Amino acid sequence: MTTRLPWRPAASADPVPVLAAAQRVSDDLMDGLAGPRARHATHGLRRLFGVPGLGLTDLSGSLIWSGRPAADDVVVSALDEVLHSETPVSEPGLLALPLHVHEELSGVLLVAGGTNTVARQAAELVVHALERGRLEASAEQAAEAELRALRAEISPHFVYNALTVISSLVRSDPDRARDLMLDFAEYTRYSLARHGEYTMVAEEFRAIETYLALQRAVLGERLRVQVRVAPEVLAVAVPYLVLEPLVENAIRHGIEPRSEAGFIQVQGMAEGNDCVISVEDDGPGMDPARAAAILAGRGDGVGLANVDRRLRSVYGPWYGLTVETESGAGTRVVVRVPRFQPGVLP
């Protein structure tokens, strides 16, 4: 005789409601066993597996029950043994299973009135949901770490030079010194302050114009700049701090090493359903193989690789950065993102 698990439909039954219920349980456990939706997940899990009672607890011992709980002394005994041995425990009318997430004990599942097979299947579903939650949390933490890395890349040399120029103008041209100090304050606010995950192209262009004003004060006639952006892309949402690292990289590698004047052009335009932004300099350029290595994170252009990874993680592999360059022919970095992307809002 074949035994069918309560949560698995017969071949002729519609599997969609069961799969949808399992997905809801998984989503409710994304924040962990102590998350705000853990109780809802416990109720959904008991209904999904059709058991009289089901409980979940994290390592703090905060137990959530759904349905008919087992006797208190039985529960206490089972929990104590599982937490110490990290192995399944069977008590009269109760099964207790450890929940190992990435080989680390994270909690305990209690099933009252169910079979061993049902309890194991329920534990697997919970573990998979918790692992998924941790992976997504790790991805968010990695994105935040990359933003911190970009902020940390702000050149102390540039800050020192900008403040030196401003101080030199305090007596001779106080109005310009005041304007540059306001630019510097705006630059540091945008670059260092805590922001949301996304901003608009208009804000990114405003930030780079402030940065370029400071760089023109530092470099003088050595830096010529042209900035153009089409109105239809100003409201496009993009990840925060994606353009300033590209402009800073162009000045650092395309302008500063030279004694003669250099030119930087920044453009933003719409191409069909895409927003395309380019940062181009007429500097020494580089070998295309070196540019590919930098985008792969093997080189001194940490900011470029950082921005490229962030763009591709948000929009997919068809988007991100491309670098057009040759030795002696300057460098053009192109950012391509969709003009509209679900879930990407400033």
Side-chain angles (χ1 to χ4, degrees):
M1 177 179 177
T2 301
T3 302
R4 182 170 58 85
L5 298 180
W7 66 285
R8 286 183 175 169
S12 59
D14 184 3
V16 173
V18 177
L19 294 174
Q23 184 62 54
R24 285 193 296 271
V25 170
S26 180
D27 291 343
D28 286 337
L29 288 172
M30 288 291 290
D31 296 322
L33 297 172
R37 296 181 293 172
R39 185 172 299 277
H40 192 266
T42 306
H43 293 318
L45 200 61
R46 181 184 64 82
R47 291 191 295 268
L48 182 62
F49 285 89
V51 295
L54 186 143
L56 283 173
T57 179
D58 61 5
L59 297 183
S60 70
S62 178
L63 180 60
I64 302 173
W65 269 106
S66 176
R68 186 174 68 248
D72 288 346
D73 58 336
V74 175
V75 170
V76 171
S77 173
L79 279 178
D80 184 68
E81 188 172 347
V82 171
L83 291 174
H84 283 84
S85 67
E86 299 191 21
T87 58
V89 171
S90 178
E91 297 280 359
L94 180 71
L95 295 168
L97 287 81
L99 300 171
H100 288 98
V101 179
H102 300 310
E103 300 183 355
E104 177 184 333
L105 182 65
S106 297
V108 180
L109 170 72
L110 302 168
V111 177
T115 66
N116 286 326
T117 303
V118 167
R120 286 197 303 272
Q121 293 288 340
E124 286 181 10
L125 178 58
V126 173
V127 167
H128 290 160
L130 296 176
E131 288 178 343
R132 174 185 160 213
R134 285 198 183 181
L135 287 173
E136 294 199 5
S138 296
E140 292 177 1
Q141 292 167 2
E144 291 176 0
E146 291 196 328
L147 269 180
R148 290 194 295 270
L150 283 178
R151 292 186 178 110
E153 276 210 325
I154 293 174
S155 170
H157 180 66
F158 162 70
V159 172
Y160 173 80
N161 286 342
L163 292 176
T164 299
V165 169
I166 292 170
S167 66
S168 71
L169 294 171
V170 169
R171 290 182 181 273
S172 60
D173 194 345
D175 289 339
R176 189 176 181 218
R178 178 182 177 276
D179 290 342
L180 289 174
M181 184 57 73
L182 292 175
D183 285 338
F184 186 80
E186 177 64 19
Y187 166 74
T188 54
R189 180 198 68 80
Y190 192 81
S191 299
L192 301 177
R194 188 175 183 85
H195 289 258
E197 189 174 359
Y198 303 108
T199 185
M200 292 188 300
V201 166
E203 291 295 321
E204 287 285 289
F205 266 85
R206 186 174 295 115
I208 63 174
E209 286 179 335
T210 301
Y211 173 75
L212 287 169
L214 291 166
Q215 284 287 17
R216 281 196 297 268
V218 171
L219 297 172
E221 296 299 322
R222 291 175 56 202
L223 176 61
R224 295 179 293 112
V225 174
Q226 184 182 75
V227 178
R228 294 179 177 175
V229 56
E232 58 265 29
V233 301
L234 289 175
V236 172
V238 292
Y240 162 72
L241 206 62
V242 297
L243 296 186
E244 193 272 346
L246 309 185
V247 176
E248 183 174 352
N249 188 75
I251 290 177
R252 184 182 301 175
H253 300 287
I255 306 298
E256 287 183 346
R258 303 156 53 185
S259 58
E260 68 273 16
F263 178 67
I264 287 183
Q265 183 179 60
V266 185
Q267 291 185 309
M269 65 191 72
E271 288 188 4
N273 293 324
D274 291 345
C275 169
V276 178
I277 301 169
S278 63
V279 178
E280 185 174 359
D281 66 73
D282 62 352
M286 69 184 81
D287 184 89
R290 182 186 171 205
I294 288 174
L295 274 186
R298 304 187 304 273
D300 54 0
V302 176
L304 292 184
N306 189 317
V307 170
D308 186 54
R309 282 195 303 270
R310 291 170 59 217
L311 290 175
R312 293 181 190 277
S313 69
V314 172
Y315 301 112
W318 295 107
Y319 296 97
L321 300 185
T322 56
V323 179
E324 302 168 1
T325 186
E326 287 283 352
S327 296
T331 301
R332 183 171 183 259
V333 180
V334 180
V335 179
R336 181 177 294 273
V337 299
R339 293 171 64 186
F340 307 100
Q341 175 84 353
V344 178
L345 299 172

